[in-house]
Protein backbone atom coordinates (compact mmCIF):
# COMPACT_ATOMS: atom_id res chain seq x y z
CA UNK A 1 0.00 0.00 0.00
CA UNK A 2 1.60 3.29 -1.04
CA UNK A 3 -1.00 5.70 0.34
CA UNK A 4 -0.91 7.92 3.42
CA UNK A 5 -1.38 5.84 6.55
CA UNK A 6 -2.48 7.01 9.96
CA UNK A 7 -2.29 5.23 13.26
CA UNK A 8 -4.35 4.56 15.25
CA UNK A 9 -7.61 4.72 13.32
CA UNK A 10 -9.61 5.20 16.48
CA UNK A 11 -8.64 6.46 19.92
CA UNK A 12 -10.82 6.84 23.01
CA UNK A 13 -9.25 8.69 25.88
CA UNK A 14 -10.27 10.22 29.16
CA UNK A 15 -10.28 13.97 29.52
CA UNK A 16 -6.94 15.23 30.74
CA UNK A 17 -4.89 12.45 29.18
CA UNK A 18 -2.27 12.97 26.50
CA UNK A 19 -2.60 11.33 23.11
CA UNK A 20 -0.26 10.99 20.15
CA UNK A 21 -1.14 10.21 16.55
CA UNK A 22 1.19 9.11 13.80
CA UNK A 23 1.11 9.81 10.08
CA UNK A 24 3.24 8.08 7.47
CA UNK A 25 3.14 10.04 4.21
CA UNK A 26 3.75 8.72 0.74
CA UNK A 27 7.47 8.05 0.73
CA UNK A 28 8.70 10.61 -1.80
CA UNK A 29 6.39 13.39 -0.61
CA UNK A 30 8.18 16.26 1.12
CA UNK A 31 5.10 18.15 2.27
CA UNK A 32 2.89 16.91 5.09
CA UNK A 33 -0.30 18.50 6.40
CA UNK A 34 -2.54 18.05 9.43
CA UNK A 35 -6.23 18.87 9.41
CA UNK A 36 -9.03 18.43 11.94
CA UNK A 37 -12.62 17.59 11.00
CA UNK A 38 -15.58 17.66 13.36
CA UNK A 39 -18.90 16.03 12.59
CA UNK A 40 -20.82 17.74 9.83
CA UNK A 41 -18.03 20.20 9.08
CA UNK A 42 -15.32 20.51 6.51
CA UNK A 43 -11.71 19.90 7.51
CA UNK A 44 -9.85 22.74 9.21
CA UNK A 45 -6.17 23.35 8.59
CA UNK A 46 -3.87 22.86 11.59
CA UNK A 47 -0.28 22.86 10.36
CA UNK A 48 2.10 21.74 7.65
CA UNK A 49 5.70 20.67 7.17
CA UNK A 50 8.08 20.91 4.30
CA UNK A 51 10.59 18.17 5.01
CA UNK A 52 11.28 18.49 8.74
CA UNK A 53 10.49 22.21 8.97
CA UNK A 54 7.12 23.23 10.34
CA UNK A 55 6.25 26.18 8.10
CA UNK A 56 2.81 27.25 9.22
CA UNK A 57 0.55 26.76 12.22
CA UNK A 58 -3.11 27.68 12.37
CA UNK A 59 -4.50 29.66 15.27
CA UNK A 60 -6.56 26.53 15.94
CA UNK A 61 -3.38 24.83 17.11
CA UNK A 62 -3.42 25.75 20.79
CA UNK A 63 -0.45 25.35 23.11
CA UNK A 64 -1.71 21.89 24.01
CA UNK A 65 -1.06 20.71 20.45
CA UNK A 66 2.36 19.95 19.09
CA UNK A 67 3.42 18.40 15.83
CA UNK A 68 6.78 17.08 14.78
CA UNK A 69 8.31 15.57 11.69
CA UNK A 70 11.77 14.35 12.60
CA UNK A 71 13.96 13.54 9.62
CA UNK A 72 11.25 14.70 7.27
CA UNK A 73 9.54 11.33 7.12
CA UNK A 74 6.66 10.38 9.43
CA UNK A 75 4.93 12.95 11.59
CA UNK A 76 3.35 12.87 15.04
CA UNK A 77 0.62 15.07 16.43
CA UNK A 78 0.38 15.19 20.22
CA UNK A 79 -2.47 16.63 22.22
CA UNK A 80 -1.78 17.26 25.89
CA UNK A 81 -4.45 17.44 28.59
CA UNK A 82 -7.22 16.49 26.17
CA UNK A 83 -10.57 18.21 26.40
CA UNK A 84 -13.96 17.05 25.12
CA UNK A 85 -13.76 19.72 22.44
CA UNK A 86 -10.75 17.93 20.98
CA UNK A 87 -13.02 15.08 19.85
CA UNK A 88 -12.70 15.04 16.07
CA UNK A 89 -11.21 13.25 13.09
CA UNK A 90 -7.56 14.18 12.60
CA UNK A 91 -6.55 13.97 8.97
CA UNK A 92 -3.06 13.85 7.55
CA UNK A 93 -2.15 14.54 3.93
CA UNK A 94 1.03 14.65 1.90
CA UNK A 95 2.10 16.07 -1.42
CA UNK A 96 5.18 16.31 -3.58
CA UNK A 97 6.85 19.61 -4.13
CA UNK A 98 5.67 23.16 -4.02
CA UNK A 99 2.51 23.58 -6.00
CA UNK A 100 3.34 20.59 -8.09
CA UNK A 101 1.41 17.65 -6.85
CA UNK A 102 -2.05 17.19 -5.50
CA UNK A 103 -2.38 16.24 -1.87
CA UNK A 104 -3.29 12.71 -0.86
CA UNK A 105 -5.18 12.27 2.41
CA UNK A 106 -5.10 9.40 4.87
CA UNK A 107 -8.21 7.85 6.39
CA UNK A 108 -7.77 9.80 9.59
CA UNK A 109 -7.63 9.11 13.31
CA UNK A 110 -10.95 9.50 15.10
CA UNK A 111 -10.42 10.82 18.61
CA UNK A 112 -13.14 10.57 21.24
CA UNK A 113 -12.52 12.29 24.56
CA UNK A 114 -14.81 11.05 27.34
CA UNK B 1 -10.56 36.19 5.32
CA UNK B 2 -11.61 33.33 3.12
CA UNK B 3 -14.94 31.59 3.14
CA UNK B 4 -16.50 28.75 1.18
CA UNK B 5 -20.24 28.18 1.19
CA UNK B 6 -21.91 24.98 0.11
CA UNK B 7 -25.55 25.77 0.64
CA UNK B 8 -26.80 22.28 -0.15
CA UNK B 9 -26.39 20.17 2.95
CA UNK B 10 -27.80 17.02 1.39
CA UNK B 11 -28.96 16.06 -2.09
CA UNK B 12 -30.74 12.83 -2.96
CA UNK B 13 -31.29 11.75 -6.55
CA UNK B 14 -32.12 8.57 -8.37
CA UNK B 15 -29.37 6.82 -10.26
CA UNK B 16 -28.70 8.13 -13.78
CA UNK B 17 -29.97 11.60 -12.98
CA UNK B 18 -27.64 14.56 -13.40
CA UNK B 19 -26.79 16.50 -10.27
CA UNK B 20 -25.03 19.81 -9.63
CA UNK B 21 -23.27 20.69 -6.40
CA UNK B 22 -22.98 24.40 -5.73
CA UNK B 23 -19.95 26.20 -4.32
CA UNK B 24 -19.65 29.91 -3.66
CA UNK B 25 -16.48 31.41 -2.25
CA UNK B 26 -15.23 34.66 -0.78
CA UNK B 27 -11.67 35.88 -0.82
CA UNK B 28 -9.86 39.20 -0.92
CA UNK B 29 -7.06 37.64 -2.94
CA UNK B 30 -7.01 38.32 -6.65
CA UNK B 31 -5.34 35.02 -7.32
CA UNK B 32 -6.16 31.76 -5.59
CA UNK B 33 -6.81 28.05 -6.06
CA UNK B 34 -10.10 26.18 -5.93
CA UNK B 35 -10.53 22.48 -5.25
CA UNK B 36 -13.14 19.76 -5.05
CA UNK B 37 -12.64 16.71 -2.83
CA UNK B 38 -14.79 13.62 -2.36
CA UNK B 39 -15.09 11.92 1.03
CA UNK B 40 -16.56 8.42 0.82
CA UNK B 41 -17.76 6.61 3.96
CA UNK B 42 -14.25 5.21 4.48
CA UNK B 43 -13.16 8.72 5.43
CA UNK B 44 -10.21 9.65 3.25
CA UNK B 45 -10.50 12.77 1.15
CA UNK B 46 -10.06 12.05 -2.55
CA UNK B 47 -8.78 14.86 -4.74
CA UNK B 48 -10.98 15.55 -7.76
CA UNK B 49 -9.79 18.82 -9.26
CA UNK B 50 -7.60 21.87 -8.65
CA UNK B 51 -8.16 25.06 -10.60
CA UNK B 52 -6.26 28.33 -10.37
CA UNK B 53 -8.10 31.60 -10.63
CA UNK B 54 -6.38 32.51 -13.90
CA UNK B 55 -8.05 29.66 -15.68
CA UNK B 56 -11.77 30.14 -16.14
CA UNK B 57 -12.19 27.41 -18.69
CA UNK B 58 -14.71 24.78 -17.75
CA UNK B 59 -13.38 21.28 -17.39
CA UNK B 60 -14.84 17.88 -18.12
CA UNK B 61 -13.48 14.57 -16.91
CA UNK B 62 -15.65 11.64 -17.82
CA UNK B 63 -18.99 12.09 -16.07
CA UNK B 64 -17.65 15.00 -14.00
CA UNK B 65 -17.63 18.62 -15.10
CA UNK B 66 -16.82 21.87 -13.35
CA UNK B 67 -18.09 25.36 -14.07
CA UNK B 68 -15.88 28.16 -12.74
CA UNK B 69 -17.35 31.65 -12.90
CA UNK B 70 -15.14 34.28 -11.36
CA UNK B 71 -17.77 36.98 -11.85
CA UNK B 72 -20.13 35.22 -9.47
CA UNK B 73 -17.40 33.62 -7.30
CA UNK B 74 -18.78 30.18 -7.99
CA UNK B 75 -17.17 26.84 -8.78
CA UNK B 76 -19.96 24.35 -9.34
CA UNK B 77 -19.57 20.62 -9.88
CA UNK B 78 -21.87 18.51 -12.04
CA UNK B 79 -22.09 14.74 -12.15
CA UNK B 80 -23.77 13.43 -15.28
CA UNK B 81 -25.61 10.10 -15.23
CA UNK B 82 -25.00 9.62 -11.52
CA UNK B 83 -24.15 6.21 -10.12
CA UNK B 84 -24.57 4.70 -6.66
CA UNK B 85 -20.77 4.77 -6.24
CA UNK B 86 -20.92 8.56 -6.44
CA UNK B 87 -22.60 8.62 -3.03
CA UNK B 88 -20.28 10.54 -0.71
CA UNK B 89 -19.73 13.91 0.91
CA UNK B 90 -18.24 16.42 -1.52
CA UNK B 91 -16.19 19.37 -0.35
CA UNK B 92 -15.27 22.54 -2.16
CA UNK B 93 -12.12 24.28 -0.91
CA UNK B 94 -10.08 27.44 -1.48
CA UNK B 95 -6.45 28.30 -0.89
CA UNK B 96 -4.32 31.37 -1.32
CA UNK B 97 -2.11 31.50 -4.37
CA UNK B 98 1.09 31.56 -2.33
CA UNK B 99 0.29 27.99 -1.27
CA UNK B 100 1.28 26.97 -4.77
CA UNK B 101 -1.77 24.80 -5.05
CA UNK B 102 -0.72 22.52 -2.25
CA UNK B 103 -2.89 21.60 0.67
CA UNK B 104 -1.64 24.14 3.20
CA UNK B 105 -4.22 26.51 4.54
CA UNK B 106 -7.14 25.09 2.60
CA UNK B 107 -10.47 26.60 3.59
CA UNK B 108 -13.18 24.00 3.15
CA UNK B 109 -16.92 24.38 2.87
CA UNK B 110 -19.16 22.30 5.10
CA UNK B 111 -19.72 19.74 2.39
CA UNK B 112 -22.69 18.40 0.48
CA UNK B 113 -23.84 14.87 1.26
CA UNK B 114 -24.83 13.31 -2.05
CA UNK B 115 -27.05 10.24 -1.95
CA UNK B 116 -27.60 8.32 -5.16
CA UNK B 117 -30.51 5.93 -4.87
CA UNK B 118 -30.62 2.83 -7.07
Amino acid sequence: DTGVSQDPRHKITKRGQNVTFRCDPISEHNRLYWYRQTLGQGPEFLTYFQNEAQLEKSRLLSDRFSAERPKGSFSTLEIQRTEQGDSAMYLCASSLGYGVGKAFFGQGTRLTVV
Amino acid sequence: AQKVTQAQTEISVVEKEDVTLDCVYETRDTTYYLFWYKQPPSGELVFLIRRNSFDEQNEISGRYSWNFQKSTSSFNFTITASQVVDSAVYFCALSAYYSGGGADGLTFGKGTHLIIQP
Side-chain angles (χ1 to χ4, degrees), chain A:
Chain A
D1 184 15
T2 57
V4 177
S5 64
Q6 294 188 244
D7 183 69
R9 293 290 313 280
H10 303 273
K11 178 71 176 179
I12 300 174
T13 191
K14 291 183 178 179
R15 190 174 52 184
Q17 298 293 306
N18 299 345
V19 293
T20 299
F21 311 139
R22 177 181 171 121
C23 171
D24 286 274
I26 294 172
S27 59
E28 64 269 24
H29 285 185
N30 58 350
R31 285 193 145 198
L32 186 146
Y33 316 85
W34 285 100
Y35 279 78
R36 179 176 70 186
Q37 185 178 18
T38 53
L39 210 59
Q41 303 294 316
E44 299 170 298
F45 172 72
L46 293 178
T47 187
Y48 90 95
F49 293 83
Q50 178 148 310
N51 300 312
E52 65 275 7
Q54 188 173 17
L55 296 187
E56 188 175 345
K57 296 194 319 185
S58 158
R59 276 169 279 184
L60 291 174
L61 214 65
S62 76
D63 292 343
R64 298 184 297 105
F65 287 70
S66 63
E68 294 183 341
R69 193 183 182 197
K71 303 178 184 177
S73 56
F74 70 91
S75 176
T76 57
L77 178 68
E78 181 184 16
I79 309 174
Q80 296 182 326
R81 305 180 304 281
T82 52
E83 301 172 356
Q84 286 191 321
D86 298 331
S87 295
M89 177 78 85
Y90 290 84
L91 297 167
C92 176
S94 69
S95 69
L96 176 64
Y98 175 79
V100 175
K102 61 188 182 186
F104 291 83
F105 280 80
Q107 292 185 304
T109 293
R110 180 167 295 284
L111 173 66
T112 303
V113 181
V114 298

Side-chain angles (χ1 to χ4, degrees), chain B residues 30-114:
Chain B
T30 54
T31 53
Y32 44 87
Y33 285 94
L34 292 163
F35 302 76
W36 275 95
Y37 281 87
K38 173 181 180 180
Q39 188 173 42
S42 54
E44 78 279 16
L45 285 162
V46 178
F47 172 92
L48 296 177
I49 189 171
R50 176 182 65 201
R51 174 56 56 85
N52 74 53
S53 54
F54 292 133
D55 183 1
E56 290 193 64
Q57 282 192 342
N58 292 330
E59 182 157 340
I60 297 174
S61 175
R63 296 184 297 107
Y64 296 170
S65 62
W66 291 270
N67 183 302
F68 175 32
Q69 293 199 346
K70 206 168 179 178
S71 60
T72 56
S73 297
S74 66
F75 187 42
N76 296 337
F77 172 32
T78 297
I79 301 175
T80 304
S82 59
Q83 299 176 2
V84 173
V85 294
D86 296 326
S87 297
V89 181
Y90 290 85
F91 290 97
C92 180
L94 168 71
S95 73
Y97 200 74
Y98 67 76
S99 75
D104 52 296
L106 285 171
T107 298
F108 283 83
K110 291 187 177 182
T112 296
H113 185 197
L114 177 63

